[in-house]
Amino acid sequence: MVTAVCECYKCNYRFNYEYIPGVSYHSIRLGNKRIFRCPKCRTLQKFDLTNKGPDKSLKTYGDSSELGIGAKIWVTMLLPTFILVFAGAVSFFTFIQPLYLHFVLIAIAVVWVFGYLTYLIIAVGPKTAKAGQRR
């Protein structure tokens, strides 16, 4: 297990985060960053995991369902995908519609997953102040 010191950009809570590199069951991996919930304020955020090594004075959390992204996000991302892929596979065996319909349904499913992931990555990052404005 690897431990990284993370800090919430919203409430400035610092904590140790234990994780297995390359594996996550409850968060979304993005290279050196992961999307999961802050243990204090419970907001969904993107945390940087480059600050390796535990800080003994901080509380340690692991990759658990307590910090996970939640069932609502998984369902919103995966349910339309599975429905579209299933409809595309079933439409392959029915000859009522044009033959390219199954490819279109599966392509829409792939676009949905990448589009929703892109939305999550952009939405959970720290909000930056515009030029000329103070935070």
Side-chain angles (χ1 to χ4, degrees), residues 8 14 19 25 34 38 40 44 47-48 58 62 66 69 71 75 77 80-81 86 91 95 105 111 121-122:
C8 175
R14 290 177 42 106
Y19 64 98
Y25 297 109
R34 287 198 184 183
C38 171
K40 185 175 180 186
L44 191 64
F47 289 96
D48 189 11
L58 301 175
E66 176 189 358
I69 62 171
V75 168
M77 182 172 46
T81 304
F86 180 75
S91 72
F95 300 104
L105 291 173
V111 168
I121 291 167
I122 292 169

mmCIF file of all heavy atoms in Angstrom, residues 8 14 19 25 34 38 40 44 47-48 58 62 66 69 71 75 77 80-81 86 91 95 105 111 121-122:
data_model
loop_
_atom_site.group_PDB
_atom_site.id
_atom_site.type_symbol
_atom_site.label_atom_id
_atom_site.label_comp_id
_atom_site.label_asym_id
_atom_site.label_seq_id
_atom_site.Cartn_x
_atom_site.Cartn_y
_atom_site.Cartn_z
ATOM 1 N N CYS A 8 -7.960 18.900 1.034
ATOM 2 C CA CYS A 8 -9.218 19.323 0.424
ATOM 3 C C CYS A 8 -9.106 20.793 0.046
ATOM 4 O O CYS A 8 -8.746 21.622 0.876
ATOM 5 C CB CYS A 8 -10.373 19.097 1.406
ATOM 6 S SG CYS A 8 -11.957 19.721 0.826
ATOM 7 N N ARG A 14 -6.499 18.229 5.821
ATOM 8 C CA ARG A 14 -5.369 17.402 5.376
ATOM 9 C C ARG A 14 -5.501 16.023 6.004
ATOM 10 O O ARG A 14 -5.850 15.896 7.174
ATOM 11 C CB ARG A 14 -4.045 18.031 5.774
ATOM 12 C CG ARG A 14 -3.726 19.298 5.003
ATOM 13 C CD ARG A 14 -2.426 19.917 5.484
ATOM 14 N NE ARG A 14 -1.389 18.932 5.720
ATOM 15 C CZ ARG A 14 -0.332 18.718 4.939
ATOM 16 N NH1 ARG A 14 -0.155 19.453 3.884
ATOM 17 N NH2 ARG A 14 0.555 17.806 5.231
ATOM 18 N N TYR A 19 -3.724 3.765 -0.567
ATOM 19 C CA TYR A 19 -4.294 3.189 -1.775
ATOM 20 C C TYR A 19 -3.300 2.205 -2.399
ATOM 21 O O TYR A 19 -2.123 2.180 -2.068
ATOM 22 C CB TYR A 19 -4.654 4.278 -2.783
ATOM 23 C CG TYR A 19 -3.462 5.053 -3.299
ATOM 24 C CD1 TYR A 19 -2.880 4.735 -4.520
ATOM 25 C CD2 TYR A 19 -2.912 6.101 -2.577
ATOM 26 C CE1 TYR A 19 -1.785 5.439 -4.990
ATOM 27 C CE2 TYR A 19 -1.828 6.804 -3.042
ATOM 28 C CZ TYR A 19 -1.266 6.474 -4.244
ATOM 29 O OH TYR A 19 -0.182 7.164 -4.711
ATOM 30 N N TYR A 25 -11.528 0.544 -6.278
ATOM 31 C CA TYR A 25 -12.889 0.033 -6.389
ATOM 32 C C TYR A 25 -13.927 1.111 -6.107
ATOM 33 O O TYR A 25 -15.079 0.956 -6.458
ATOM 34 C CB TYR A 25 -13.099 -1.138 -5.436
ATOM 35 C CG TYR A 25 -12.208 -2.304 -5.757
ATOM 36 C CD1 TYR A 25 -11.148 -2.637 -4.937
ATOM 37 C CD2 TYR A 25 -12.408 -3.057 -6.896
ATOM 38 C CE1 TYR A 25 -10.321 -3.698 -5.239
ATOM 39 C CE2 TYR A 25 -11.585 -4.117 -7.215
ATOM 40 C CZ TYR A 25 -10.548 -4.435 -6.375
ATOM 41 O OH TYR A 25 -9.734 -5.487 -6.683
ATOM 42 N N ARG A 34 -6.902 11.203 -8.156
ATOM 43 C CA ARG A 34 -8.096 10.369 -8.019
ATOM 44 C C ARG A 34 -9.269 11.237 -7.626
ATOM 45 O O ARG A 34 -9.120 12.240 -6.932
ATOM 46 C CB ARG A 34 -7.903 9.288 -6.956
ATOM 47 C CG ARG A 34 -6.989 8.197 -7.424
ATOM 48 C CD ARG A 34 -7.145 6.972 -6.604
ATOM 49 N NE ARG A 34 -6.152 5.997 -7.057
ATOM 50 C CZ ARG A 34 -6.056 4.789 -6.592
ATOM 51 N NH1 ARG A 34 -6.842 4.379 -5.641
ATOM 52 N NH2 ARG A 34 -5.158 3.959 -7.069
ATOM 53 N N CYS A 38 -14.127 14.059 0.054
ATOM 54 C CA CYS A 38 -13.366 14.516 1.209
ATOM 55 C C CYS A 38 -13.990 13.890 2.455
ATOM 56 O O CYS A 38 -15.218 13.918 2.608
ATOM 57 C CB CYS A 38 -13.401 16.036 1.303
ATOM 58 S SG CYS A 38 -12.714 16.692 2.840
ATOM 59 N N LYS A 40 -14.057 14.978 5.425
ATOM 60 C CA LYS A 40 -14.614 15.963 6.351
ATOM 61 C C LYS A 40 -15.859 16.649 5.789
ATOM 62 O O LYS A 40 -16.922 16.611 6.383
ATOM 63 C CB LYS A 40 -13.565 17.007 6.714
ATOM 64 C CG LYS A 40 -14.042 17.982 7.760
ATOM 65 C CD LYS A 40 -12.943 18.928 8.183
ATOM 66 C CE LYS A 40 -13.466 19.890 9.232
ATOM 67 N NZ LYS A 40 -12.477 20.892 9.544
ATOM 68 N N LEU A 44 -17.294 15.890 -3.513
ATOM 69 C CA LEU A 44 -16.588 15.107 -4.509
ATOM 70 C C LEU A 44 -15.509 15.985 -5.129
ATOM 71 O O LEU A 44 -15.797 17.075 -5.618
ATOM 72 C CB LEU A 44 -17.572 14.631 -5.573
ATOM 73 C CG LEU A 44 -17.078 13.592 -6.551
ATOM 74 C CD1 LEU A 44 -16.740 12.297 -5.825
ATOM 75 C CD2 LEU A 44 -18.130 13.338 -7.602
ATOM 76 N N PHE A 47 -8.220 14.728 -6.046
ATOM 77 C CA PHE A 47 -7.090 14.857 -5.123
ATOM 78 C C PHE A 47 -5.799 14.453 -5.815
ATOM 79 O O PHE A 47 -5.754 13.479 -6.565
ATOM 80 C CB PHE A 47 -7.298 13.975 -3.893
ATOM 81 C CG PHE A 47 -8.363 14.470 -2.969
ATOM 82 C CD1 PHE A 47 -9.654 13.977 -3.046
ATOM 83 C CD2 PHE A 47 -8.085 15.439 -2.022
ATOM 84 C CE1 PHE A 47 -10.640 14.431 -2.193
ATOM 85 C CE2 PHE A 47 -9.066 15.902 -1.165
ATOM 86 C CZ PHE A 47 -10.345 15.394 -1.255
ATOM 87 N N ASP A 48 -4.747 15.203 -5.535
ATOM 88 C CA ASP A 48 -3.419 14.934 -6.070
ATOM 89 C C ASP A 48 -2.707 13.936 -5.154
ATOM 90 O O ASP A 48 -2.649 14.133 -3.945
ATOM 91 C CB ASP A 48 -2.632 16.241 -6.149
ATOM 92 C CG ASP A 48 -1.327 16.091 -6.893
ATOM 93 O OD1 ASP A 48 -1.111 15.041 -7.526
ATOM 94 O OD2 ASP A 48 -0.528 17.041 -6.839
ATOM 95 N N LEU A 58 -1.489 13.143 10.923
ATOM 96 C CA LEU A 58 -2.772 13.206 10.236
ATOM 97 C C LEU A 58 -3.498 11.871 10.317
ATOM 98 O O LEU A 58 -2.882 10.810 10.395
ATOM 99 C CB LEU A 58 -2.564 13.571 8.761
ATOM 100 C CG LEU A 58 -1.869 14.893 8.478
ATOM 101 C CD1 LEU A 58 -1.640 15.051 6.989
ATOM 102 C CD2 LEU A 58 -2.679 16.050 9.019
ATOM 103 N N GLY A 62 -8.543 5.012 3.883
ATOM 104 C CA GLY A 62 -8.225 4.135 2.767
ATOM 105 C C GLY A 62 -9.218 4.305 1.630
ATOM 106 O O GLY A 62 -10.183 5.063 1.721
ATOM 107 N N GLU A 66 -16.696 4.640 2.026
ATOM 108 C CA GLU A 66 -16.926 5.882 2.771
ATOM 109 C C GLU A 66 -16.466 7.102 1.965
ATOM 110 O O GLU A 66 -17.108 8.141 1.972
ATOM 111 C CB GLU A 66 -16.170 5.840 4.101
ATOM 112 C CG GLU A 66 -16.263 7.111 4.897
ATOM 113 C CD GLU A 66 -15.338 7.126 6.102
ATOM 114 O OE1 GLU A 66 -14.646 6.130 6.345
ATOM 115 O OE2 GLU A 66 -15.285 8.159 6.773
ATOM 116 N N ILE A 69 -17.075 7.532 -4.782
ATOM 117 C CA ILE A 69 -17.823 8.533 -5.535
ATOM 118 C C ILE A 69 -19.322 8.359 -5.396
ATOM 119 O O ILE A 69 -20.074 9.266 -5.694
ATOM 120 C CB ILE A 69 -17.420 8.546 -7.020
ATOM 121 C CG1 ILE A 69 -17.735 7.227 -7.676
ATOM 122 C CG2 ILE A 69 -15.980 8.924 -7.181
ATOM 123 C CD1 ILE A 69 -17.558 7.239 -9.169
ATOM 124 N N ALA A 71 -22.957 5.578 -5.427
ATOM 125 C CA ALA A 71 -23.728 4.758 -6.361
ATOM 126 C C ALA A 71 -24.437 5.601 -7.414
ATOM 127 O O ALA A 71 -24.587 5.170 -8.561
ATOM 128 C CB ALA A 71 -24.738 3.916 -5.598
ATOM 129 N N VAL A 75 -24.246 4.725 -11.344
ATOM 130 C CA VAL A 75 -25.467 4.402 -12.087
ATOM 131 C C VAL A 75 -25.665 5.376 -13.241
ATOM 132 O O VAL A 75 -25.994 4.963 -14.356
ATOM 133 C CB VAL A 75 -26.690 4.398 -11.137
ATOM 134 C CG1 VAL A 75 -27.990 4.357 -11.908
ATOM 135 C CG2 VAL A 75 -26.602 3.215 -10.188
ATOM 136 N N MET A 77 -23.462 6.931 -14.905
ATOM 137 C CA MET A 77 -22.468 6.702 -15.947
ATOM 138 C C MET A 77 -22.683 5.359 -16.650
ATOM 139 O O MET A 77 -22.610 5.286 -17.873
ATOM 140 C CB MET A 77 -21.060 6.755 -15.353
ATOM 141 C CG MET A 77 -19.975 6.562 -16.379
ATOM 142 S SD MET A 77 -18.305 6.854 -15.773
ATOM 143 C CE MET A 77 -18.244 6.005 -14.238
ATOM 144 N N PRO A 80 -26.932 3.915 -18.615
ATOM 145 C CA PRO A 80 -27.199 4.200 -20.032
ATOM 146 C C PRO A 80 -26.239 3.461 -20.971
ATOM 147 O O PRO A 80 -26.632 3.030 -22.055
ATOM 148 C CB PRO A 80 -27.004 5.713 -20.148
ATOM 149 C CG PRO A 80 -27.172 6.233 -18.780
ATOM 150 C CD PRO A 80 -26.691 5.155 -17.868
ATOM 151 N N THR A 81 -25.008 3.282 -20.527
ATOM 152 C CA THR A 81 -24.027 2.571 -21.354
ATOM 153 C C THR A 81 -24.445 1.124 -21.563
ATOM 154 O O THR A 81 -24.453 0.622 -22.694
ATOM 155 C CB THR A 81 -22.640 2.632 -20.683
ATOM 156 O OG1 THR A 81 -22.303 3.994 -20.476
ATOM 157 C CG2 THR A 81 -21.592 1.967 -21.550
ATOM 158 N N PHE A 86 -26.486 -3.135 -24.895
ATOM 159 C CA PHE A 86 -27.413 -4.267 -25.002
ATOM 160 C C PHE A 86 -28.359 -4.081 -26.180
ATOM 161 O O PHE A 86 -28.603 -5.017 -26.950
ATOM 162 C CB PHE A 86 -28.198 -4.439 -23.699
ATOM 163 C CG PHE A 86 -29.168 -5.576 -23.734
ATOM 164 C CD1 PHE A 86 -28.710 -6.883 -23.639
ATOM 165 C CD2 PHE A 86 -30.525 -5.346 -23.858
ATOM 166 C CE1 PHE A 86 -29.597 -7.944 -23.680
ATOM 167 C CE2 PHE A 86 -31.418 -6.393 -23.904
ATOM 168 C CZ PHE A 86 -30.955 -7.700 -23.812
ATOM 169 N N SER A 91 -30.116 -5.482 -31.483
ATOM 170 C CA SER A 91 -30.513 -5.007 -32.806
ATOM 171 C C SER A 91 -29.709 -5.674 -33.917
ATOM 172 O O SER A 91 -30.154 -5.707 -35.059
ATOM 173 C CB SER A 91 -30.368 -3.488 -32.895
ATOM 174 O OG SER A 91 -29.007 -3.116 -32.939
ATOM 175 N N PHE A 95 -33.694 -7.897 -38.002
ATOM 176 C CA PHE A 95 -33.444 -7.354 -39.335
ATOM 177 C C PHE A 95 -34.502 -6.335 -39.738
ATOM 178 O O PHE A 95 -34.715 -6.078 -40.905
ATOM 179 C CB PHE A 95 -33.373 -8.493 -40.355
ATOM 180 C CG PHE A 95 -32.280 -9.455 -40.052
ATOM 181 C CD1 PHE A 95 -32.553 -10.684 -39.496
ATOM 182 C CD2 PHE A 95 -30.962 -9.110 -40.277
ATOM 183 C CE1 PHE A 95 -31.538 -11.569 -39.190
ATOM 184 C CE2 PHE A 95 -29.936 -9.992 -39.973
ATOM 185 C CZ PHE A 95 -30.234 -11.228 -39.426
ATOM 186 N N LEU A 105 -25.741 2.677 -31.900
ATOM 187 C CA LEU A 105 -26.092 2.575 -30.482
ATOM 188 C C LEU A 105 -24.857 2.329 -29.611
ATOM 189 O O LEU A 105 -24.707 2.931 -28.550
ATOM 190 C CB LEU A 105 -27.117 1.458 -30.273
ATOM 191 C CG LEU A 105 -28.507 1.725 -30.836
ATOM 192 C CD1 LEU A 105 -29.376 0.479 -30.724
ATOM 193 C CD2 LEU A 105 -29.155 2.897 -30.126
ATOM 194 N N VAL A 111 -19.502 7.240 -26.406
ATOM 195 C CA VAL A 111 -19.465 8.699 -26.298
ATOM 196 C C VAL A 111 -20.045 9.144 -24.956
ATOM 197 O O VAL A 111 -19.518 10.060 -24.313
ATOM 198 C CB VAL A 111 -20.212 9.355 -27.486
ATOM 199 C CG1 VAL A 111 -20.440 10.830 -27.249
ATOM 200 C CG2 VAL A 111 -19.445 9.126 -28.772
ATOM 201 N N ILE A 121 -14.475 15.164 -14.437
ATOM 202 C CA ILE A 121 -13.115 15.672 -14.258
ATOM 203 C C ILE A 121 -13.113 17.189 -14.190
ATOM 204 O O ILE A 121 -12.430 17.802 -13.360
ATOM 205 C CB ILE A 121 -12.198 15.150 -15.377
ATOM 206 C CG1 ILE A 121 -11.994 13.650 -15.211
ATOM 207 C CG2 ILE A 121 -10.861 15.879 -15.383
ATOM 208 C CD1 ILE A 121 -11.367 12.977 -16.413
ATOM 209 N N ILE A 122 -13.894 17.829 -15.036
ATOM 210 C CA ILE A 122 -13.956 19.293 -15.042
ATOM 211 C C ILE A 122 -14.730 19.813 -13.833
ATOM 212 O O ILE A 122 -14.332 20.793 -13.204
ATOM 213 C CB ILE A 122 -14.586 19.794 -16.351
ATOM 214 C CG1 ILE A 122 -13.650 19.495 -17.516
ATOM 215 C CG2 ILE A 122 -14.911 21.274 -16.290
ATOM 216 C CD1 ILE A 122 -14.258 19.705 -18.880
#
